[in-house]
Amino acid sequence: MAQKTYNTMAVLSLILLSFILGTSEFIIVGILPDIAKDINCSLTMAGNLISVFAFAYAIGTPFITAAVSAYNRYYVLLILAICFILGNFLCALASNYYILVLARIITAIISGTILSISMTFASEIATVQYQPKVISWIFAGFSIASVFGVPIGTIICQIFSWQMTFILLSVVSICILLMLWQYCII
């Protein structure tokens, strides 16, 4: 009998998680004109949402990751995933620029921390020889988001609204949260 090399559903859960994190990060680029028009700000001002997200991601991720490192990472991952969902719902509900900036800062800090923590699960869900492959697939999910997630989100925005894009991100994130809860139990 062959030895199980990795937990397929746990790996898939983490890949999908990184995909939705990447989609949430990059989607703003495809929907900026709609956001600017709807919240009545210039396209340049709306474009600052990208810079704010990047800055919060780069600065906040190491601090939040260090702050939560003393706790059980499985529960931290689930709690952060819930906060990520709430952050995307806040984006959808944002009635003005400043609420949207706050929501994007929240999702940025949480996204970076979730991605950092998700990498640590490779040692539990895969044998030693498959751990690099699992980590590369988790990162691939993030990269694939820019190829597939952003265009799909932009189409959703064009058909419905930019708010619907964030609502759908939240709904898909809830499904992924349920997968994490079910399959990533350590």
Side-chain angles (χ1 to χ4, degrees):
M1 181 184 286
Q3 177 187 9
K4 180 81 170 160
T5 54
Y6 54 89
N7 180 334
T8 306
M9 291 307 292
V11 171
L12 180 62
S13 300
L14 293 172
I15 293 168
L16 290 172
L17 178 64
S18 67
F19 175 82
I20 206 72
L21 292 171
T23 301
S24 177
E25 178 177 345
F26 302 134
I27 191 60
I28 202 85
V29 175
I31 62 176
L32 271 179
D34 296 285
I35 291 173
K37 181 180 173 187
D38 195 50
I39 62 173
N40 199 26
C41 71
S42 70
L43 191 56
T44 304
M45 190 170 174
N48 286 332
L49 292 168
I50 298 168
S51 300
V52 166
F53 189 99
F55 186 74
Y57 191 99
I59 302 299
T61 296
F63 291 109
I64 300 300
T65 303
V68 300
S69 66
Y71 302 101
N72 179 300
R73 62 195 159 107
Y74 170 71
Y75 295 115
V76 168
L77 182 68
L78 295 179
I79 290 167
L80 290 174
I82 292 167
C83 294
F84 175 77
I85 292 164
L86 295 174
N88 278 308
F89 268 126
L90 184 58
C91 286
L93 299 174
S95 58
N96 64 53
Y97 179 77
Y98 300 104
I99 294 172
L100 192 53
V101 167
L102 176 65
R104 294 299 289 167
I105 289 171
I106 292 167
T107 56
I109 293 169
I110 291 169
S111 292
T113 306
I114 289 174
L115 192 60
S116 298
I117 292 171
S118 68
M119 295 297 129
T120 66
F121 283 93
S123 63
E124 273 85 28
I125 62 175
T127 57
V128 174
Q129 68 268 26
Y130 283 93
Q131 289 173 18
K133 183 177 182 178
V134 168
I135 291 170
S136 68
W137 271 108
I138 293 170
F139 273 118
F142 196 80
S143 300
I144 292 168
S146 64
V147 177
F148 294 106
V150 173
I152 291 169
T154 303
I155 290 169
I156 291 166
C157 174
Q158 292 171 351
I159 294 171
F160 300 104
S161 68
W162 65 269
Q163 292 95 338
M164 183 57 73
T165 303
F166 284 107
I167 289 170
L168 287 175
L169 278 171
S170 298
V171 169
V172 172
S173 297
I174 291 168
C175 296
I176 295 168
L177 173 66
L178 294 173
M179 288 179 71
L180 290 169
W181 177 70
Q182 180 69 33
Y183 298 112
C184 287
I185 296 175
I186 303 301

